[in-house]
Amino acid sequence: MALQNINPTKTKAWKKLENHFTEIKPVEMKTLFQKNKNRKEEFSFQFEDFNLDYSKNRIDQKTMDLLLELANECQLTDAIEKYFSGDKINTTENRAVLHTALRNKGNNAVQVDGTDIMPEVRETLAKMEQFSNKVISGEFKGYTGKAITDVVNIGIGGSDLGPRMVVESLQFYKNHLNTHFISNVDGDHVVEVLKNLNPETTLFIIVSKTFTTQETLTNALTVKKWFLQNAKESDIQHNFVAVSTNVEKVLDFGIDANNVFTMWNWVGGRYSLWSAVGLSISLAIGFKNFDNFLKGGYAMDQHFKNADFEKNIPVTLALISIWYNNFFGSESEVVIPYTQYLEKLAPFLQQLSMESNGKSVDRNGKPVNYQTGNIIWGNTGTNVQHAFMQLVHQGTKIIPVDFIGFKESLYGNKEPHNKLMANFYAQAEALYAGKTAEEVHLDMKFHGDLKKINALLPFKVFEGNKPSNAILIEKLTPKSLGSLIAMYEHKTFVQGVIWNIFSFDQFGVELGKELAHKFLVK
Ligand code: F6P
């Protein structure tokens, strides 16, 4: 069954939130902390090795109660039930949305059109495991009989961003294989990647759900041409594999039927890294680690499905985000992980969130008269502190932040890690507390005459009262990364449910594609 069709702005909770917003808007978070000594504990909770502290937000208990009322009036429980049980909630494409089945570690059947899809899912995972083991051990050979040293993932959007981000994020767990990514239809970049590769020892994975994407097919053909400078057509089977739903087109390309990893229409591109689209991940870190990554996703699924909404991380993050987006009018959110490993998280989240919720027509097909998907951006701390944080601290916009930190570093290098985490805490504190004119004055009073101090003072004041969430995780592991990604997937889902939009289609990318064909100079 389809998702219900409820305009959030017509709910009772929305009206109450509008009234409540006028009460909360002038309130300083500092006052809320002063009034409630247990605020930090009351607005924090733990799920496995994740701790969410959302106390530094412009909310009080009433805000959260009303947001939960909104979620209930928008039938979130019903939507979650339909999401996990294979209902065709991707209505405009008449498809189920079952990336959660790809990481389902339970024994339950998951039905699509009356058929349990779990046997096929497990079969593909088994094929990935076997293949990864063979490539990593050197048993799988390239066309001249040499073991594989390099893997190139050719794909774009969901067929690139997820695997690229996970491979980079989990490089600590990597084996000897070098992994490369080609996505942009930029011939220069393709040459740059190929120039250091030996065709004999390189495995190319062409990843395209549709196998019709212009960028991917163009790049795949460029690579094939380069490969055939030394090899024969019949050698393709030794160095090329594909991941797609479109087996016919893959075979036309010359790839051997045994080298095709299937995926399904019930997996959206931006949610597909859990499927064979993640083959480059499984090759880079080994299947066991890939499976732990799936387990992390599954653990977050169980939490999202079963935890009360008050203590549910994706629900809490989504509701707070809606609060800023639809009541404070903030247009963007910034995600700042305090680990260099997660440098590619923001581009991944941009597709996840913005391709899903960048919609202006509701589930009735009518234009919405409220804000939907927000702009997601970010990069790693502490680098961003020397780049864009000025604007977040002293600019004119309200930009809620997600700070993501890890208690332990992977190599155990305590001193730099302590400094990194000191910055993680300091940024949240600075945004929240700011610095008053009195405090600035105190700091400056021994550094110049009063006239100079007064002239500089306004520029040195930090208004504060700027919101952030702190997500603190024990350690960056395949499992915790799996949970983190699933957390953001479910946050995106909850937002789409409440905004009454379809989060699983992406018609907005089509017009540019059509026009690019027209503009193509032959
Ligand atoms: O950008 C549009 C899009 O359809 C994405 O949703 C998808 O991830 C990407 O193109 C790649 O599509 P495919 O895997 O079919 O090549």
Side-chain angles (χ1 to χ4, degrees):
M1 276 210 303
L3 293 177
Q4 303 202 32
N5 197 333
I6 298 156
N7 181 335
T9 64
K10 299 275 185 277
T11 58
K12 288 188 195 121
W14 193 277
K15 296 276 163 279
K16 291 187 207 168
L17 280 161
E18 277 174 341
N19 293 333
H20 175 64
F21 172 67
T22 56
E23 292 161 23
I24 281 282
K25 196 171 174 241
V27 176
E28 293 270 325
M29 283 191 272
K30 273 189 200 166
T31 316
L32 296 170
F33 270 95
Q34 275 154 12
K35 273 200 202 151
N36 179 1
K37 296 287 169 230
N38 298 324
R39 181 173 167 92
K40 185 171 156 48
E41 292 69 38
E42 285 175 17
F43 291 85
S44 297
F45 61 90
Q46 188 85 19
F47 158 68
E48 292 194 348
D49 56 357
F50 277 54
N51 183 278
L52 171 67
D53 175 356
Y54 61 104
S55 61
K56 292 190 182 69
N57 278 295
R58 295 175 67 175
I59 54 167
D60 61 11
Q61 193 51 52
K62 186 172 167 193
T63 324
M64 290 315 292
D65 291 345
L66 292 178
L67 287 167
L68 288 166
E69 229 178 282
L70 175 68
N72 289 329
E73 273 192 79
C74 293
Q75 303 297 329
L76 182 59
T77 307
D78 174 70
I80 295 174
E81 180 57 36
K82 288 174 175 160
Y83 174 45
F84 279 94
S85 48
D87 285 22
K88 294 201 171 161
I89 60 170
N90 179 359
T91 308
T92 47
E93 296 181 327
N94 193 29
R95 289 176 186 164
V97 174
L98 278 174
H99 45 280
T100 51
L102 300 166
R103 56 201 187 215
N104 175 21
K105 297 290 166 194
N107 294 320
N108 56 309
V110 181
Q111 307 279 343
V112 173
D113 292 328
T115 307
D116 180 14
I117 57 169
M118 285 316 298
E120 289 177 69
V121 169
R122 291 191 193 107
E123 208 179 292
T124 301
L125 284 172
K127 186 168 169 172
M128 284 172 74
E129 178 172 17
Q130 253 184 18
F131 184 73
S132 303
N133 289 346
K134 279 189 185 163
V135 175
I136 296 165
S137 69
E139 188 189 331
F140 181 96
K141 311 265 192 244
Y143 72 99
T144 57
K146 292 185 184 156
I148 298 297
T149 55
D150 291 80
V151 174
V152 181
N153 188 93
I154 308 172
I156 196 164
S159 300
D160 166 75
L161 289 163
R164 189 193 284 262
M165 180 270 291
V166 176
V167 168
E168 181 166 322
S169 301
L170 296 179
Q171 60 189 270
F172 178 80
Y173 302 90
K174 248 171 80 50
N175 51 39
H176 63 283
L177 296 172
N178 304 307
T179 319
H180 314 263
F181 291 86
I182 295 177
S183 54
N184 202 346
V185 62
D186 173 348
D188 291 340
H189 182 241
V190 178
V191 175
E192 289 297 340
V193 173
L194 293 180
K195 85 181 175 196
N196 298 318
L197 296 176
N198 176 355
E200 295 174 67
T201 57
T202 304
L203 176 73
F204 295 97
I205 313 175
I206 308 173
V207 186
S208 177
K209 182 176 161 185
T210 54
F211 225 77
T212 57
T213 305
Q214 185 203 46
E215 292 88 337
T216 302
L217 292 191
T218 306
N219 288 335
L221 285 172
T222 308
V223 167
K224 183 171 151 183
K225 209 166 143 197
W226 171 84
F227 179 78
L228 292 177
Q229 284 170 2
N230 300 296
K232 302 186 295 296
E233 283 274 346
S234 58
D235 294 330
I236 291 178
Q237 59 179 309
H238 298 287
N239 291 69
F240 284 77
V241 300
V243 181
S244 186
T245 54
N246 195 341
V247 180
E248 210 182 311
K249 282 239 185 293
V250 175
L251 300 185
D252 285 351
F253 184 88
I255 290 178
D256 192 90
N258 292 323
N259 289 344
V260 186
F261 292 81
T262 38
M263 59 181 298
W264 306 271
N265 275 336
W266 40 260
V267 187
R270 54 194 172 274
Y271 299 87
S272 65
L273 75 177
W274 316 94
S275 71
V277 168
L279 188 60
S280 57
I281 308 174
S282 159
L283 287 165
I285 61 174
F287 186 81
K288 202 164 181 286
N289 280 322
F290 181 72
D291 198 44
N292 283 333
F293 171 71
L294 299 183
K295 283 182 181 137
Y298 178 67
M300 187 54 75
D301 294 344
Q302 295 307 298
H303 165 72
F304 176 55
K305 219 161 90 167
N306 301 324
D308 289 343
F309 288 166
E310 299 87 73
K311 293 270 181 277
N312 190 314
I313 300 182
V315 173
T316 305
L317 292 177
L319 293 177
I320 291 174
S321 171
I322 289 174
W323 177 234
Y324 293 119
N325 188 55
N326 295 90
F327 296 90
F328 279 87
S330 72
E331 301 222 313
S332 79
E333 274 172 23
V334 59
V335 180
I336 309 179
Y338 274 70
T339 166
Q340 201 52 31
Y341 288 119
L342 294 189
E343 198 183 6
K344 299 281 186 318
L345 182 66
F348 167 78
L349 293 180
Q350 284 176 328
Q351 188 200 13
L352 173 63
S353 174
M354 292 157 82
E355 198 166 84
S356 297
N357 287 337
K359 313 285 165 66
S360 51
V361 169
D362 70 10
R363 292 203 281 265
N364 279 311
K366 299 271 182 285
V368 294
N369 59 355
Y370 47 88
Q371 287 291 311
T372 61
N374 21 25
I375 301 157
I376 308 290
W377 55 294
N379 210 324
T380 55
T382 57
N383 293 355
V384 302
Q385 296 168 208
H386 300 272
F388 59 65
M389 282 309 278
Q390 165 68 39
L391 184 138
V392 184
H393 284 288
Q394 283 191 318
T396 50
K397 296 175 172 58
I398 296 186
I399 304 172
V401 187
D402 276 359
F403 290 111
I404 301 169
F406 293 87
K407 285 192 194 163
E408 275 181 56
S409 84
L410 296 184
Y411 287 98
N413 37 11
K414 284 218 166 63
E415 204 207 324
H417 191 68
N418 285 345
K419 288 183 181 158
L420 185 71
M421 292 311 285
N423 278 281
F424 165 89
Y425 290 111
Q427 286 297 310
E429 183 66 18
L431 288 171
Y432 149 74
K435 194 166 182 179
T436 61
E438 293 72 43
E439 287 164 333
V440 176
H441 196 271
L442 260 179
D443 262 7
M444 290 175 76
K445 74 177 180 197
F446 303 114
H447 305 287
D449 60 44
L450 202 59
K451 212 168 140 207
K452 274 195 195 146
I453 291 175
N454 284 338
L456 264 185
L457 199 110
F459 304 100
K460 296 204 161 209
V461 167
F462 287 71
E463 207 182 290
N465 214 24
K466 313 251 182 208
S468 68
N469 296 307
I471 300 155
L472 185 61
I473 305 166
E474 289 295 320
K475 193 173 162 179
L476 178 60
T477 61
K479 185 163 185 267
S480 65
L481 184 66
S483 296
L484 185 72
I485 296 168
M487 176 191 92
Y488 278 114
E489 285 179 350
H490 298 323
K491 172 189 170 185
T492 304
F493 171 75
V494 173
Q495 290 175 304
V497 169
I498 293 179
W499 287 328
N500 201 33
I501 53 177
F502 289 122
S503 299
F504 297 100
D505 59 23
Q506 56 285 317
F507 298 114
V509 302
E510 297 304 330
L511 180 59
K513 287 187 197 172
E514 275 170 36
L515 293 179
H517 282 295
K518 282 196 191 158
F519 279 102
L520 187 64
V521 184
K522 302 259 180 200

